[in-house]
Amino acid sequence: MEKFRMSKETFFYVCNQLRPKLAHQSIHFHPVLPLEKRVAVALWHLATNVEYQIISLLFGVGPSTVQKCVQEVSYAVVLLLKPVYLHLPSEKELENMVCIFRARWRFPHCIGALDSLRIPINAPLHLSADYCNSQGWHSILTQAVVDGLGQFWDVCAGFPGSMENSAMLESLSLWVLARDGYLFPNPPKHFMGRAQKYVLLGDASYTLQDWILKPYQEDGKLTQQQLQFNYCLKRVHSVIENAFLRLKARWQFLLKCDDCSLDLLPTMILACCTLHNVCEAHDNPFNDEWLEVIQQRSQNLVTLCPHLWTTAVLSKCEISCASTLKAVEKADGYRDSDHML
C-alpha cells in the first residue's frame, strides 16, 4: 500500500466510510468502476502527483476516468470524512488540546499553532499578478491550525499567493469566532491569576492579538527573557511546520498543482489535509524517504530559478528539523524541563 500512503486496514476503512457517496451506478445503468478501484486511483494521484495519462495505463482506464475518480473521491472525503477528522473543536476537545500542549511541548494555555502553506500552481495569465507571491512564483495559499499532535483542526484553502498571512486570517471565520469569543470557554479559563483566552501561536507575519502570540521582533535589543520566550514559541510552532512537511511528503499532489482547476483546488487541498489526519489518527507509518522528493524539488527550483535559493535552504532546514523532532520524540517524549515557561 506504499503508493496509497496508508495501511491496508486504513484503505478499506476509508473505502467503507466513502461508500454512501460513491456507491452508485452510472446514468446508463452500467456498473461503474468498483469503489475500491476508484479510491485507489484517486489516492495514487494525490500521493504521487503522477499524470492522469500514466495512471490510466496503470489501472486500465481512460485519463478522463482518472480525473473523474480524483474529483469524486476528493469531494466524498470532504463531505464524509472532514466532519469527523477535521472540524472546529468542542470545549472539551479544546481542554484536551491545552493538556497536550502543556504536557508534550511545555507550553501552557495553548490550543494550536497557526501558519500558512504556499502551494505552487500554474496561474491563468489574467490572474498572474494575483497569484504571484513575494518570492516570484505562482501559488495558492492555505491557512491552517494544528493541535499539539500535528493534526489539523482548521483549514481554509484557495487564497491567491500575493495575499499576506494577516490579511488572509482576518477574512476567515476563525478570526470572527476568536474575536467574538466563540472559540474559547465563556467565561475564559483562569491562567496566572486572571481570566485569559486560550492562545494560538503564529510567526512574525501575524498581528499580535489577545488570542495570538508571536515572537518578539529580534532587533538585537531583546532581554534574555524575551529571547527565551522566542525560543520556546518557535520550538512549539515547529509542530505545524512539521505537519505541513508530512502533509506534502505524503500527498505530493501538493508539491505542484498544475493539472487542476483553481475551482477544484480548495476541495483537493482539504481532502489531502483530511486524509493526513486520518493517517495520523490511525497511526499509519510515515516513510522518511517521502521527504527526499521535497528536497529534490527544492534543488530543481534552484537550478531553474537561482533567485529561489532561500526556498531550497528552508526546505532542507525543515527536513532536518523534522528528523530532529522525531529523534527527540523517541528519546524523551518532549520531557525537556529546561524549556518550560
Side-chain angles (χ1 to χ4, degrees):
M1 307 297 285
E2 167 74 14
K3 295 297 184 182
F4 303 138
R5 298 301 199 258
M6 58 182 64
S7 68
K8 182 178 179 180
E9 293 75 16
T10 303
F11 174 80
F12 285 110
Y13 167 80
V14 169
C15 291
N16 287 331
Q17 294 299 112
L18 301 184
R19 195 173 299 278
K21 178 66 176 176
L22 298 179
H24 64 272
Q25 290 184 321
S26 70
I27 59 174
H28 302 294
F29 301 101
H30 295 302
V32 297
L33 289 176
L35 181 146
E36 291 78 9
K37 187 170 184 176
R38 280 181 283 155
V39 174
V41 167
L43 293 182
W44 193 294
H45 177 68
L46 293 177
T48 64
N49 208 16
V50 170
E51 292 85 354
Y52 292 152
Q53 185 67 41
I54 296 176
I55 296 179
S56 71
L57 296 175
L58 291 173
F59 285 88
V61 297
S64 61
T65 300
V66 173
Q67 184 178 28
K68 186 176 181 181
C69 287
V70 172
Q71 294 178 1
E72 287 185 346
V73 170
S74 296
Y75 278 119
V77 167
V78 173
L79 179 66
L80 298 175
L81 287 177
K82 182 179 177 294
V84 179
Y85 288 92
L86 201 168
H87 57 84
L88 286 175
S90 65
E91 184 169 336
K92 181 61 177 177
E93 288 171 326
L94 288 173
E95 291 177 4
N96 291 336
M97 291 176 184
V98 171
C99 292
I100 290 173
F101 272 103
R102 183 172 60 244
R104 188 182 180 100
W105 295 96
R106 299 297 191 237
F107 204 103
H109 220 62
C110 177
I111 58 173
L114 172 72
D115 208 344
S116 65
L117 176 67
R118 297 182 185 275
I119 299 170
I121 62 168
N122 286 333
L125 188 60
H126 67 287
L127 296 174
S128 178
D130 292 335
Y131 285 89
C132 186
N133 59 44
S134 59
Q135 294 179 322
W137 45 280
H138 295 104
S139 61
I140 192 169
L141 270 174
T142 297
Q143 177 87 62
V145 183
V146 301
D147 62 20
L149 299 175
Q151 295 183 28
F152 299 101
W153 61 260
D154 186 75
V155 175
C156 193
F159 294 89
S162 62
M163 203 167 187
E164 297 294 334
N165 280 355
S166 57
M168 176 171 52
L169 177 60
E170 291 178 20
S171 69
L172 302 181
S173 59
L174 177 68
W175 174 273
V176 177
L177 290 171
R179 182 195 63 192
D180 296 343
Y182 294 113
L183 193 59
F184 315 106
N186 188 17
K189 298 286 186 179
H190 274 71
F191 176 64
M192 298 183 69
R194 64 186 182 93
Q196 174 64 51
K197 292 179 180 179
Y198 291 147
V199 296
L200 298 177
L201 306 184
D203 61 19
S205 63
Y206 291 96
T207 303
L208 186 66
Q209 304 290 328
D210 61 354
W211 53 276
I212 297 180
L213 295 184
K214 57 183 286 186
Y216 289 100
Q217 183 177 353
E218 298 192 4
D219 54 4
K221 300 178 182 179
L222 298 184
T223 66
Q224 189 60 40
Q225 188 175 14
Q226 290 171 332
L227 290 172
Q228 179 70 7
F229 173 82
N230 279 5
Y231 174 83
C232 292
L233 189 148
K234 290 177 182 178
R235 177 177 177 270
V236 183
H237 189 263
S238 69
V239 67
I240 190 168
E241 296 163 8
N242 192 46
F244 280 151
L245 196 62
R246 291 168 70 91
L247 173 72
K248 292 184 294 182
R250 193 187 293 273
W251 306 111
Q252 294 177 8
F253 164 80
L254 299 175
L255 296 180
K256 186 64 165 49
C257 304
D258 53 5
D259 60 354
C260 181
S261 70
L262 288 178
D263 292 336
L264 182 59
L265 257 179
T267 298
M268 295 184 68
I269 294 169
L270 281 174
C272 289
C273 292
T274 302
L275 290 169
H276 165 90
N277 280 6
V278 171
C279 291
E280 295 289 317
H282 288 253
D283 293 323
N284 284 187
F286 182 85
N287 189 342
D288 288 337
E289 293 180 359
W290 299 338
L291 296 170
E292 296 175 3
V293 176
I294 297 178
Q295 187 170 0
Q296 183 60 49
R297 174 162 181 78
S298 297
Q299 293 171 346
N300 292 342
L301 275 174
V302 174
T303 301
L304 295 173
C305 308
H307 66 285
L308 297 181
W309 68 271
T310 52
T311 302
V313 171
L314 287 174
S315 294
K316 290 180 180 179
C317 290
E318 287 174 345
I319 293 171
S320 175
C321 286
S323 300
T324 303
L325 192 59
K326 184 177 179 181
V328 171
E329 275 187 309
K330 291 182 177 179
D332 64 7
Y334 295 98
R335 296 188 300 270
D336 188 351
S337 59
D338 291 339
H339 296 156
M340 293 180 65
L341 293 182

